[in-house]
């Protein structure tokens, strides 16, 4: 009887652990059942390959330490632990066909996240569970459509259905709340599933065959002109870029000293998140935030709220025409990769004219690997082809481009150890 009780508890713990794999829950349960059936069919419950003396708690990171004592004493628990070990191996060894199907269907998940973000469902559920009817009332969405969306969102882990038709937010879904202080991904989910990003990707085949951006074919104009005509979508994109700049600022300032600079000009600086990070690192410095007029105008309130308004001059303009003069440090973050060599040289040439000899230009990008190897940046490189007329480059490519514009590469600083998919790299150059 004791073995049966411990076996039941073990199975329950196993199912709780299995729930962590979200989308693969049904397959996971099937694996447990098949292992059970095989074991009971040949009387092998007691003969499963389980150590009679389990390893210390640190050897079992997926099992709570308090469960290990019963495991030592109970054959039922040991059996369930063996099931879980086999289950984990099975999940890690998914068939190639299943993996590719998941890749093919990936765009479903993107649009689910984008729609959840647009409807503000994470914010509506932040205070506690709600019914479909309650959520339909505050979102003006079809109850049937909303039910389908919520259950699809539950399947991918954004929500949990507490009772039939009553949903609650999960930690995963909370990432889509409109809470900038918590590092919200809401703007990113909206921006990357909205027309400016979404429609050109539908023409990836054409981009690869032609080697040309598909923005004009998909949007009727280039991406920047499109954003100028769609301020709402542009605002989500600008806030996404600001969040990326804030991440870059935190990463690079851990390894890059800006104490020697007094006037920092952030060219193409969006809402100023990188610039304010640099100014926080050097309280004696002042800054210039330079970007398109409609972009920097949205930075005024943020700079005032963060206490930087008195230290930052906001200048609207076009870096293909000219950039502000007077800086001893010019910063270009995630700008050059948006453009082909000809246009990138035009930007660099304008900075060269504005900067004094001996001043510093810091180009901050996530470069391609110098040697062929898998990297997230290869995906970014494809994005540059599809949506823009740019490209990702290796450090050697950047060095050559900068040399042609009159800048000498002094050193490169990679923000390693920052947990990023690919590290930000500061390429510090001197104006010749």
């Amino acid at each position: 009887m004791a073995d049966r009780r411990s076996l039941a508890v073990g199975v329950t713990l196993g199912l709780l652990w299995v729930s962590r794999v979200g989308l693969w829950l049904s397959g996971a349960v099937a694996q447990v059942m098949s292992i059970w059936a095989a074991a009971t069919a040949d009387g092998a419950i007691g003969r499963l390959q389980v150590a009679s003396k389990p390893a210390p708690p640190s050897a079992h990171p997926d099992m709570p330490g308090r469960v290990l004592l019963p495991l030592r004493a109970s054959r039922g628990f040991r059996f369930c632990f063996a099931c879980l070990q086999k289950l984990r191996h099975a999940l890690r060894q998914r068939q190639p066909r299943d993996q590719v199907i998941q890749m093919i269907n990936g765009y479903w998940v993107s649009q689910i996240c984008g729609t959840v973000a647009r409807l503000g469902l994470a914010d509506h559920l932040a205070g506690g569970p709600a019914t479909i009817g309650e959520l339909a009332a505050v979102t003006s969405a079809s109850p049937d459509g909303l039910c389908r969306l919520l259950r699809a969102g539950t399947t991918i882990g954004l929500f949990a259905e507490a009772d039939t038709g009553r949903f609650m937010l999960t930690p995963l879904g909370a990432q889509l709340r409109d809470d900038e202080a918590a590092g919200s991904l809401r703007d990113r989910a909206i921006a990357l599933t909205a027309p400016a990003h979404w429609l050109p990707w539908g023409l990836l085949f054409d981009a690869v065959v032609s080697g040309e951006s598909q923005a004009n074919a998909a949007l009727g104009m280039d991406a920047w002109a499109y954003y100028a005509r769609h301020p709402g979508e542009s605002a989500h994109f600008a806030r996404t870029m600001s969040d990326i700049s804030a991440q870059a600022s935190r990463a690079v300032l851990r390894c890059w000293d800006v104490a020697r600079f007094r006037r920092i000009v952030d060219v193409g600086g969006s809402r100023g998140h990188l610039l304010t990070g640099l100014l926080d690192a050097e309280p004696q410095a002042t800054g210039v935030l330079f970007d398109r007029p409609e972009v920097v105008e949205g930075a005024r309130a943020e700079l005032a709220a963060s206490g930087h308004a008195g230290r930052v001059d906001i200048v609207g303009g076009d870096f293909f025409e000219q950039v502000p003069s007077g800086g001893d440090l010019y910063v270009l973050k995630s700008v050059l990769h948006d453009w082909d060599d000809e246009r990138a040289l035009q930007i660099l040439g304008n900075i060269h004219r504005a900067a004094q000899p001996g001043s510093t230009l810091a180009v901050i990008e996530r470069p391609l690997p110098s040697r062929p190897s898998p990297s997230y940046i290869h995906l970014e490189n494809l994005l540059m082809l599809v949506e823009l007329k740019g490209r990702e480059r290796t450090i050697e490519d950047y060095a050559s481009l900068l040399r042609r514009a009159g800048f000498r590469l002094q050193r490169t600083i990679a923000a390693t150890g920052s947990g990023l998919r690919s590290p930000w790299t500061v390429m510090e150059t001197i104006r010749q």
Side-chain angles (χ1 to χ4, degrees), residues 125 129-136 146 150 164-167:
L125 289 171
T131 65
I132 293 170
E134 291 167 340
L135 292 170
L146 195 58
L150 287 163
T164 301
R166 188 174 179 83
F167 294 85

Side-chain angles (χ1 to χ4, degrees), residues 275-419:
L275 179 59
T276 55
L278 297 172
L279 294 178
D280 286 342
E282 179 41 65
Q284 302 303 314
T286 60
V288 178
L289 178 62
F290 180 72
D291 210 316
R292 301 191 315 277
E294 68 274 14
V295 173
V296 293
E297 190 60 35
R300 293 187 185 277
E302 294 181 28
L303 291 172
S306 65
H308 293 91
R311 297 175 62 194
V312 177
D313 293 329
I314 297 176
V315 181
D318 183 350
F319 49 44
F320 288 115
E321 296 178 0
Q322 63 179 17
V323 301
S325 60
D328 57 350
L329 171 63
Y330 286 81
V331 179
L332 275 175
K333 187 204 73 67
S334 301
V335 171
L336 295 182
H337 77 157
D338 288 342
W339 307 99
D340 59 22
D341 285 0
E342 180 182 355
R343 298 288 269 172
L345 285 169
Q346 192 174 346
I347 298 168
L348 291 171
N350 286 331
I351 295 175
H352 191 273
R353 280 186 286 277
Q356 293 295 315
S359 56
T360 299
L361 166 64
V363 174
I364 303 175
E365 297 277 1
R366 291 186 289 186
L368 285 169
S370 295
R371 296 181 178 179
S373 62
S375 169
Y376 168 78
I377 299 303
H378 291 302
L379 304 181
E380 291 267 9
N381 202 19
L382 200 58
L383 180 148
M384 293 298 119
L385 168 64
V386 174
E387 296 186 14
L388 303 169
K389 295 182 179 180
R391 65 184 313 110
E392 302 296 347
R393 299 173 175 90
T394 64
I395 290 176
E396 292 79 9
D397 292 333
Y398 279 115
S400 174
L401 196 67
L402 288 158
R403 186 167 54 250
R404 291 165 61 189
F407 294 92
R408 177 167 50 86
L409 182 62
Q410 287 282 89
R411 59 173 180 159
T412 61
I413 307 164
T416 55
S418 57

